[in-house]
PDB file of all heavy atoms in Angstrom:
ATOM      1  N   ASP A  29     -28.938   0.673  14.850  1.00  0.00           N
ATOM      2  CA  ASP A  29     -29.214  -0.361  13.841  1.00  0.00           C
ATOM      3  C   ASP A  29     -28.714   0.024  12.454  1.00  0.00           C
ATOM      4  O   ASP A  29     -28.774  -0.767  11.524  1.00  0.00           O
ATOM      5  CB  ASP A  29     -30.723  -0.633  13.791  1.00  0.00           C
ATOM      6  CG  ASP A  29     -31.533   0.656  13.816  1.00  0.00           C
ATOM      7  OD1 ASP A  29     -30.991   1.678  14.293  1.00  0.00           O
ATOM      8  OD2 ASP A  29     -32.674   0.646  13.355  1.00  0.00           O
ATOM      9  N   LEU A  30     -28.198   1.249  12.303  1.00  0.00           N
ATOM     10  CA  LEU A  30     -27.773   1.697  10.976  1.00  0.00           C
ATOM     11  C   LEU A  30     -26.319   1.319  10.711  1.00  0.00           C
ATOM     12  O   LEU A  30     -25.438   1.645  11.494  1.00  0.00           O
ATOM     13  CB  LEU A  30     -27.929   3.220  10.884  1.00  0.00           C
ATOM     14  CG  LEU A  30     -27.617   3.802   9.500  1.00  0.00           C
ATOM     15  CD1 LEU A  30     -28.799   3.606   8.571  1.00  0.00           C
ATOM     16  CD2 LEU A  30     -27.303   5.284   9.605  1.00  0.00           C
ATOM     17  N   GLU A  31     -26.084   0.589   9.626  1.00  0.00           N
ATOM     18  CA  GLU A  31     -24.708   0.287   9.227  1.00  0.00           C
ATOM     19  C   GLU A  31     -24.325   1.247   8.118  1.00  0.00           C
ATOM     20  O   GLU A  31     -24.713   1.085   6.967  1.00  0.00           O
ATOM     21  CB  GLU A  31     -24.607  -1.156   8.730  1.00  0.00           C
ATOM     22  CG  GLU A  31     -24.328  -2.107   9.860  1.00  0.00           C
ATOM     23  CD  GLU A  31     -23.956  -3.482   9.356  1.00  0.00           C
ATOM     24  OE1 GLU A  31     -23.149  -3.561   8.392  1.00  0.00           O
ATOM     25  OE2 GLU A  31     -24.491  -4.452   9.901  1.00  0.00           O
ATOM     26  N   LEU A  32     -23.561   2.241   8.461  1.00  0.00           N
ATOM     27  CA  LEU A  32     -23.235   3.306   7.518  1.00  0.00           C
ATOM     28  C   LEU A  32     -22.225   2.814   6.482  1.00  0.00           C
ATOM     29  O   LEU A  32     -21.178   2.276   6.825  1.00  0.00           O
ATOM     30  CB  LEU A  32     -22.668   4.506   8.285  1.00  0.00           C
ATOM     31  CG  LEU A  32     -22.418   5.756   7.448  1.00  0.00           C
ATOM     32  CD1 LEU A  32     -23.728   6.378   7.014  1.00  0.00           C
ATOM     33  CD2 LEU A  32     -21.589   6.761   8.236  1.00  0.00           C
ATOM     34  N   GLN A  33     -22.553   3.015   5.208  1.00  0.00           N
ATOM     35  CA  GLN A  33     -21.616   2.716   4.123  1.00  0.00           C
ATOM     36  C   GLN A  33     -20.902   4.011   3.716  1.00  0.00           C
ATOM     37  O   GLN A  33     -21.460   5.099   3.898  1.00  0.00           O
ATOM     38  CB  GLN A  33     -22.358   2.135   2.913  1.00  0.00           C
ATOM     39  CG  GLN A  33     -23.218   0.922   3.229  1.00  0.00           C
ATOM     40  CD  GLN A  33     -22.407  -0.245   3.756  1.00  0.00           C
ATOM     41  OE1 GLN A  33     -21.370  -0.598   3.202  1.00  0.00           O
ATOM     42  NE2 GLN A  33     -22.864  -0.840   4.861  1.00  0.00           N
ATOM     43  N   ASP A  34     -19.719   3.862   3.147  1.00  0.00           N
ATOM     44  CA  ASP A  34     -18.919   5.051   2.837  1.00  0.00           C
ATOM     45  C   ASP A  34     -19.611   5.989   1.842  1.00  0.00           C
ATOM     46  O   ASP A  34     -19.367   7.190   1.850  1.00  0.00           O
ATOM     47  CB  ASP A  34     -17.549   4.645   2.271  1.00  0.00           C
ATOM     48  CG  ASP A  34     -16.643   4.137   3.384  1.00  0.00           C
ATOM     49  OD1 ASP A  34     -17.055   4.223   4.565  1.00  0.00           O
ATOM     50  OD2 ASP A  34     -15.543   3.663   3.084  1.00  0.00           O
ATOM     51  N   ASP A  35     -20.433   5.433   0.966  1.00  0.00           N
ATOM     52  CA  ASP A  35     -21.078   6.277  -0.046  1.00  0.00           C
ATOM     53  C   ASP A  35     -22.489   6.712   0.355  1.00  0.00           C
ATOM     54  O   ASP A  35     -23.164   7.392  -0.414  1.00  0.00           O
ATOM     55  CB  ASP A  35     -21.124   5.548  -1.395  1.00  0.00           C
ATOM     56  CG  ASP A  35     -19.723   5.436  -1.998  1.00  0.00           C
ATOM     57  OD1 ASP A  35     -18.927   6.377  -1.794  1.00  0.00           O
ATOM     58  OD2 ASP A  35     -19.426   4.414  -2.624  1.00  0.00           O
ATOM     59  N   ASP A  36     -22.930   6.321   1.534  1.00  0.00           N
ATOM     60  CA  ASP A  36     -24.277   6.710   1.970  1.00  0.00           C
ATOM     61  C   ASP A  36     -24.376   8.228   2.100  1.00  0.00           C
ATOM     62  O   ASP A  36     -23.453   8.887   2.581  1.00  0.00           O
ATOM     63  CB  ASP A  36     -24.610   6.085   3.332  1.00  0.00           C
ATOM     64  CG  ASP A  36     -25.022   4.629   3.195  1.00  0.00           C
ATOM     65  OD1 ASP A  36     -25.249   4.191   2.053  1.00  0.00           O
ATOM     66  OD2 ASP A  36     -25.085   3.941   4.227  1.00  0.00           O
ATOM     67  N   ASN A  37     -25.531   8.756   1.711  1.00  0.00           N
ATOM     68  CA  ASN A  37     -25.788  10.191   1.798  1.00  0.00           C
ATOM     69  C   ASN A  37     -26.132  10.549   3.256  1.00  0.00           C
ATOM     70  O   ASN A  37     -27.166  10.158   3.780  1.00  0.00           O
ATOM     71  CB  ASN A  37     -26.958  10.524   0.863  1.00  0.00           C
ATOM     72  CG  ASN A  37     -27.275  11.997   0.844  1.00  0.00           C
ATOM     73  OD1 ASN A  37     -27.161  12.682   1.851  1.00  0.00           O
ATOM     74  ND2 ASN A  37     -27.669  12.480  -0.314  1.00  0.00           N
ATOM     75  N   LEU A  38     -25.239  11.308   3.890  1.00  0.00           N
ATOM     76  CA  LEU A  38     -25.385  11.574   5.327  1.00  0.00           C
ATOM     77  C   LEU A  38     -26.634  12.388   5.635  1.00  0.00           C
ATOM     78  O   LEU A  38     -27.285  12.190   6.647  1.00  0.00           O
ATOM     79  CB  LEU A  38     -24.147  12.313   5.854  1.00  0.00           C
ATOM     80  CG  LEU A  38     -22.841  11.509   5.795  1.00  0.00           C
ATOM     81  CD1 LEU A  38     -21.657  12.406   6.122  1.00  0.00           C
ATOM     82  CD2 LEU A  38     -22.886  10.324   6.748  1.00  0.00           C
ATOM     83  N   MET A  39     -26.961  13.309   4.740  1.00  0.00           N
ATOM     84  CA  MET A  39     -28.160  14.106   4.987  1.00  0.00           C
ATOM     85  C   MET A  39     -29.409  13.309   4.637  1.00  0.00           C
ATOM     86  O   MET A  39     -30.376  13.288   5.385  1.00  0.00           O
ATOM     87  CB  MET A  39     -28.116  15.390   4.169  1.00  0.00           C
ATOM     88  CG  MET A  39     -29.295  16.282   4.449  1.00  0.00           C
ATOM     89  SD  MET A  39     -29.288  17.746   3.432  1.00  0.00           S
ATOM     90  CE  MET A  39     -29.613  17.076   1.823  1.00  0.00           C
ATOM     91  N   GLY A  40     -29.353  12.620   3.491  1.00  0.00           N
ATOM     92  CA  GLY A  40     -30.514  11.860   3.034  1.00  0.00           C
ATOM     93  C   GLY A  40     -30.944  10.803   4.045  1.00  0.00           C
ATOM     94  O   GLY A  40     -32.133  10.572   4.246  1.00  0.00           O
ATOM     95  N   LEU A  41     -29.974  10.186   4.710  1.00  0.00           N
ATOM     96  CA  LEU A  41     -30.310   9.168   5.706  1.00  0.00           C
ATOM     97  C   LEU A  41     -30.717   9.792   7.040  1.00  0.00           C
ATOM     98  O   LEU A  41     -31.067   9.083   7.974  1.00  0.00           O
ATOM     99  CB  LEU A  41     -29.102   8.259   5.950  1.00  0.00           C
ATOM    100  CG  LEU A  41     -28.812   7.217   4.878  1.00  0.00           C
ATOM    101  CD1 LEU A  41     -27.537   6.467   5.216  1.00  0.00           C
ATOM    102  CD2 LEU A  41     -29.972   6.236   4.762  1.00  0.00           C
ATOM    103  N   GLY A  42     -30.600  11.115   7.103  1.00  0.00           N
ATOM    104  CA  GLY A  42     -30.949  11.778   8.354  1.00  0.00           C
ATOM    105  C   GLY A  42     -29.899  11.579   9.429  1.00  0.00           C
ATOM    106  O   GLY A  42     -30.171  11.718  10.621  1.00  0.00           O
ATOM    107  N   VAL A  43     -28.671  11.225   9.016  1.00  0.00           N
ATOM    108  CA  VAL A  43     -27.607  10.996   9.996  1.00  0.00           C
ATOM    109  C   VAL A  43     -27.148  12.324  10.586  1.00  0.00           C
ATOM    110  O   VAL A  43     -26.920  12.448  11.782  1.00  0.00           O
ATOM    111  CB  VAL A  43     -26.420  10.270   9.326  1.00  0.00           C
ATOM    112  CG1 VAL A  43     -25.233  10.179  10.272  1.00  0.00           C
ATOM    113  CG2 VAL A  43     -26.856   8.877   8.874  1.00  0.00           C
ATOM    114  N   ILE A  44     -27.001  13.346   9.734  1.00  0.00           N
ATOM    115  CA  ILE A  44     -26.491  14.643  10.186  1.00  0.00           C
ATOM    116  C   ILE A  44     -27.452  15.742   9.733  1.00  0.00           C
ATOM    117  O   ILE A  44     -27.892  15.746   8.583  1.00  0.00           O
ATOM    118  CB  ILE A  44     -25.086  14.927   9.605  1.00  0.00           C
ATOM    119  CG1 ILE A  44     -24.140  13.758   9.901  1.00  0.00           C
ATOM    120  CG2 ILE A  44     -24.523  16.207  10.181  1.00  0.00           C
ATOM    121  CD1 ILE A  44     -22.701  14.015   9.486  1.00  0.00           C
TER     122      ILE A  44
END
Side-chain angles (χ1 to χ4, degrees):
Chain A
D29 44 337
L30 184 80
E31 272 191 44
L32 186 70
Q33 306 298 313
D34 285 354
D35 290 326
D36 281 349
N37 182 325
L38 295 171
M39 183 183 69
L41 284 176
V43 173
I44 307 186

